[in-house]
Amino acid sequence: MALFGKDEAQKASEQKANGGSEGLEREKLPRHVAIIMDGNGRWAQRRGMPRTFGHKAGVEALREIIRHSDDLGIEVLTIYAFSAENWKRSAEEVGALMGLLLEYFTKELDELNRENVQIRILGDIDGMPSGLERQKAALHAAIERTQKNTGLRLCIALNYGGRQEIVHAARQLARRVAAGELTPEEIDQERFAAELYTAGLPEVDLLIRTSGEMRLSNFLLYQLAYAEFYQTDTLWPDFNKDTYDEALLAYTRRNRRFGGV
Ligand code: FPP
C-alpha cells in the first residue's frame, strides 16, 4: 500500500490549481472510492461547539462529495458512517448521529432516487439496538426503493466492522459446507468475496481518510488489499469538491502494481 504524504498532496494541489476537475484524466479515475470521514468532533471543538455540531457539518460535506462523485462518473462511493464500535460513544452523540441518519434518509431519498443513485448498506442493520426501529425501517425502504437504479452506487457502512464482516462470511460458508452445498476445497477468494457486504461491487481502488489519522479502524479489511491510500489533514467538514479532486488527481498519478513490478 503506497502512503501518500504531504509532498504529494502539495503537488496535487498545485497541479489542480491549473485546471480543477477538468484537469482530471477521467479514464484514470478510480471506479470505487471508500472514505473514512474523520475529524467532525475536532472541527466542532475548535469552534467551541459540541461534537454533534461537527457531525451536522459532516453531512453537508457528504452531500457535496456524493454529488461530485456522481458528476465525475465514479461508479461506487463507500462511506464509513457508523462503526460497530461507535456505540461506545456517549448516548447524546449516538442519539445525534442516529437522528442525522434518519433526517438524511427522510429528506434526501427523493433526490437521490431522482439522480438514479442506488443505496446499499454495509453492516448489520437488524443488529442495531432496539429503539431505532424508525432508522431500520428507513434504511430498508431506501435500499428497496433504489435497488433498480443504475447510477452511482452509494454504500453506507453502518453498524459495520471489517472483522465482523469476515467472520460473518466465514460462518455463511461453513453453513454451506455443513449443508453439503460446497466442499472446503471449493472455497476460494471469489466465493469468499461473494459472502461479503460488498458482493458484486468492483474492488476498492482508493481509500481516503481525512483528519490526519493513519488507521484503518476496522474498515473494509478484506476489500482494501490493493487499494491506494490517501490521507489528508483536512477535517471531514472542510473536505469539499476541491480537496476531493486533489485526492483523485493524486490517485491518477499513482503506479499501481498489485504485487508485480
Ligand atoms: C468521525 O469523526 C465521524 C463519524 C464517527 C461519523 C461520520 C458521520 C457523518 C459524517 C454523518 C452521518 C452520516 C449520514 C449518512 C447521515 P469523529 O467524530 O471521530 O471526529 P474526531 O476524530 O475529531 O473526534
Side-chain angles (χ1 to χ4, degrees), residues 23-126:
L24 289 172
E25 291 177 83
R26 301 284 169 123
E27 66 289 351
K28 289 192 182 164
L29 287 175
R31 294 178 68 193
H32 187 164
V33 178
I35 309 185
I36 302 180
M37 311 181 286
D38 198 9
N40 294 346
R42 275 164 285 168
W43 185 90
Q45 277 160 352
R46 281 179 199 174
R47 286 159 179 76
M49 299 296 281
R51 296 174 55 79
T52 52
F53 182 71
H55 295 314
K56 271 191 202 128
V59 176
E60 293 306 316
L62 177 59
R63 271 197 197 101
E64 181 166 334
I65 297 310
I66 294 173
R67 198 173 316 117
H68 199 47
S69 300
D70 195 25
D71 290 347
L72 290 173
I74 304 279
E75 285 175 52
V76 187
L77 176 66
T78 298
I79 51 153
Y80 207 2
F82 196 91
S83 78
E85 288 77 29
N86 283 152
W87 302 108
K88 293 185 210 151
R89 295 193 177 200
S90 73
E92 187 199 353
E93 185 168 348
V94 170
L97 279 164
M98 291 301 126
L100 281 174
L101 190 75
L102 188 60
E103 187 182 319
Y104 182 79
F105 279 99
T106 314
K107 284 194 183 159
E108 308 278 326
L109 188 58
D110 282 345
E111 191 185 337
L112 290 168
N113 193 39
R114 245 192 330 271
E115 296 294 330
N116 200 20
V117 173
Q118 185 191 81
I119 293 169
R120 250 167 104 152
I121 303 296
L122 314 185
D124 185 8
I125 302 179
D126 297 323

